[in-house]
Amino acid sequence: CHEEALAIHREVGYHPGVAAALGNVGNIYSTKGELDKALTYLEKALAMEREIGYRPGVANQLGNIGNIYSTRGELDKALEYYEEALTIDREVGYQPGVAKHIGNIGLIYSLKGEPERAVMYCMEALATYREIGYQPGVASTLGNIGNAYVWIMKIAVQPEAARNREVAGLAQKAIEYLVPALGMLLQMGIADGPKQCLWGLGECCEVLGRVRFVTLCVKAGMSEEKAKELAEARPGATEYS
């Protein structure tokens, strides 16, 4: 369908439609896992957006290309595209794009093993999503923040770290974000988010033990029945003293 749309836009010479259709085809190839094909189409879309001077479109395609590089593990390259996209959307005042790019930058820092920086960026993205009222973005970003705290917690779990109180505190912080994120994502039917939140909650249970984990999950808004069910799924969970 997108290829047919692309052909028609080319025939009538409607360049904004050509750019959008190229980007849509690229995103389909990205979803199919054909990243080289995706990149070819997205780069053509970016060139067309630059040619017609539509800056929000330029930012959008920069972000899409950043996603490709992120998936390929070329994190510095992805960061370069996300940062350029963020600059443009800030200049044109497109807040949904600003929130998306800031959140993506946060995810890159998490993948680079810098979860503290990830939290900083994701907090800014969360504030922007809340400001514009985009609930799927709020939910996903809450989960990303929670999992960033989980990674900080896992880094802290080293023999040389004075760990008990610090790690338990980080687990509690993660739960405060992961529980509401999980509830929102399940309610909205967003596919991958719940799995990621459940991973983070499982790691927290491993650290805190069942009793404290259940208590904290209930405090964060989860039903006691669901919290106990999650805790029972982590048979290795033991209490920290």
Side-chain angles (χ1 to χ4, degrees):
C1 289
H2 288 312
E3 285 173 343
E4 186 177 353
L6 174 61
I8 294 170
H9 284 309
R10 279 177 166 157
E11 284 172 11
V12 302
Y14 184 59
H15 286 183
V18 171
L22 285 166
N24 289 336
V25 173
N27 286 331
I28 293 294
Y29 278 120
S30 177
T31 302
K32 285 163 64 73
E34 299 180 48
L35 300 184
D36 290 338
K37 274 190 174 182
L39 196 55
T40 297
Y41 277 91
L42 292 173
E43 286 175 342
K44 288 179 181 178
L46 175 61
M48 181 67 72
E49 298 285 16
R50 289 194 195 277
E51 182 182 327
I52 63 179
Y54 184 55
R55 300 191 76 209
V58 171
N60 183 49
Q61 301 306 341
L62 285 167
N64 289 335
I65 293 172
N67 293 340
I68 298 294
Y69 283 116
S70 176
T71 302
R72 283 164 57 157
E74 299 179 51
L75 303 183
D76 290 331
K77 195 80 172 174
L79 194 58
E80 177 184 327
Y81 278 89
Y82 289 146
E83 286 175 342
E84 186 179 353
L86 174 60
T87 297
I88 293 171
D89 274 335
R90 275 185 166 151
E91 288 173 355
V92 302
Y94 184 57
Q95 291 297 88
V98 169
K100 179 176 70 174
H101 303 315
I102 293 172
N104 283 336
I105 290 170
L107 288 176
I108 291 296
Y109 279 117
S110 190
L111 291 170
K112 284 167 68 73
E114 302 179 51
E116 291 90 350
R117 291 187 78 175
V119 168
M120 180 182 71
Y121 278 94
C122 288
M123 286 290 195
E124 187 177 351
L126 177 62
T128 306
Y129 278 129
R130 282 177 165 159
E131 182 182 332
I132 63 178
Y134 185 59
Q135 294 306 303
V138 170
S140 296
T141 307
L142 283 168
N144 291 337
I145 294 170
N147 279 334
Y149 276 116
V150 170
W151 281 113
I152 297 170
M153 177 187 80
K154 289 173 74 68
I155 291 169
V157 181
Q158 301 294 337
E160 67 272 14
R163 65 186 188 176
N164 288 9
R165 185 174 297 177
E166 177 189 3
V167 169
L170 289 166
Q172 178 174 341
K173 197 75 175 173
I175 287 170
E176 290 171 6
Y177 288 94
L178 290 170
V179 166
L182 178 61
M184 292 177 72
L185 291 164
L186 288 170
Q187 186 176 23
M188 287 184 277
I190 297 175
D192 290 336
K195 178 174 67 176
Q196 295 165 358
C197 290
L198 288 168
W199 170 81
L201 288 169
E203 296 296 319
C204 292
C205 184
E206 203 75 41
V207 164
L208 295 168
R210 295 180 186 86
V211 174
R212 192 169 179 193
F213 174 78
V214 169
T215 300
L216 290 171
C217 283
V218 171
K219 184 178 179 182
M222 184 180 286
S223 71
E224 186 173 356
E225 180 183 3
K226 183 62 179 177
K228 287 181 177 178
E229 180 184 325
L230 289 178
E232 288 303 316
R234 306 295 292 191
T238 57
E239 299 283 355
Y240 265 131
S241 59

